[in-house]
Amino acid sequence: MSFVVSTLLSQETIADRVRALGEQIRTDYEGKNMLLVCVLKGSFVFAADLARAIDLPMKIDFLGTRSYGDGTESSGVVQITHDLSRPIEDVHVLLVEDIVDSGLTIAHLLKLLRTRNPASLKVCSLLHKPSRAKIEVPIDYLGFTIEDRFVIGYGLDHAEQYRNLPYIGVLTA
Ligand code: 5GP
């Protein structure tokens, strides 16, 4: 089946928002022992751009997750496929996500990471689909609120394709 991709958020729109988020995060984390955690795979592009928009010393680590569901819905049962490389005790952790949909994945990750006693734990998500929320999760820094559409590009996939699109698009059959 071939799809047509239409642009939802252009490269320029994303870049402007990422710059603003980076500036806001710089102000909040100044002087703090900061760790940016990229939640793989979907947030790899956003996290790379965001990290370069935050003009502060920081460490960067990666958390690989796999969510068991029926393919389009997250079940909230999240398997860690790649754990952080170091302890996060007394570290100011910023979790970077591509999209908060049902909220189950981020809720699970927050619960898990809190047990490791970070100095603080916050969430930065590029996208949020509030209409699909199954659980309320705190999003401390948010790029864009979007409607209930399946989006691809800028790290987000459909069957592992489209992650390298430089913008956020929607697929139409
Ligand atoms: P949640 O647990 O919040 O329902 O799901 C979060 C994960 O589901 C995201 O990290 C992402 O991998 C996937 N996801 C949710 N909505 C979309 C979407 O519109 N497009 C893509 N490509 N992935 C999505």
Side-chain angles (χ1 to χ4, degrees), residues 152-153 155-165 171:
I152 43 98
L156 289 140
D157 76 309
H158 176 256
E160 293 299 329
Q161 294 290 326
Y162 303 105
R163 292 192 195 274
N164 60 325
L165 279 186
L171 290 180

Side-chain angles (χ1 to χ4, degrees), residues 8-22 25 37 39 41-50 94-101 106 123-130 138-147 151-157 163 165-169:
L8 184 68
L9 299 166
S10 72
Q11 256 181 288
E12 294 71 25
T13 304
I14 298 169
D16 286 349
R17 191 71 194 109
V18 170
R19 249 193 307 277
L21 284 172
I25 292 166
V37 173
V39 182
K41 296 178 188 174
S43 80
F44 82 103
V45 177
F46 175 45
D49 282 347
L50 183 69
L94 180 62
L95 212 48
V96 178
E97 257 289 20
D98 51 358
I99 184 164
V100 175
D101 188 28
I106 206 75
V123 174
C124 177
S125 183
L126 178 66
L127 305 172
H128 185 211
K129 283 187 205 170
I139 305 177
D140 303 280
Y141 306 96
L142 176 64
F144 304 93
T145 297
I146 60 167
E147 288 178 9
V151 292
I152 43 98
Y154 199 69
L156 289 140
D157 76 309
R163 292 192 195 274
L165 279 186
Y167 56 90
I168 303 268

Side-chain angles (χ1 to χ4, degrees), residues 43-106:
S43 80
F44 82 103
V45 177
F46 175 45
D49 282 347
L50 183 69
R52 286 174 293 176
I54 305 170
D55 187 16
L56 282 181
M58 69 170 73
K59 290 181 180 168
I60 300 177
D61 210 340
F62 300 89
L63 195 54
T65 59
R66 184 185 301 140
S67 167
Y68 290 114
D70 66 8
T72 55
E73 298 241 343
S74 161
S75 63
V77 181
V78 182
Q79 185 194 10
I80 304 296
T81 56
H82 175 92
D83 205 345
L84 298 174
S85 62
R86 291 170 156 236
I88 54 168
E89 189 157 4
D90 299 328
V91 173
H92 292 276
V93 176
L94 180 62
L95 212 48
V96 178
E97 257 289 20
D98 51 358
I99 184 164
V100 175
D101 188 28
S102 68
L104 294 171
T105 303
I106 206 75

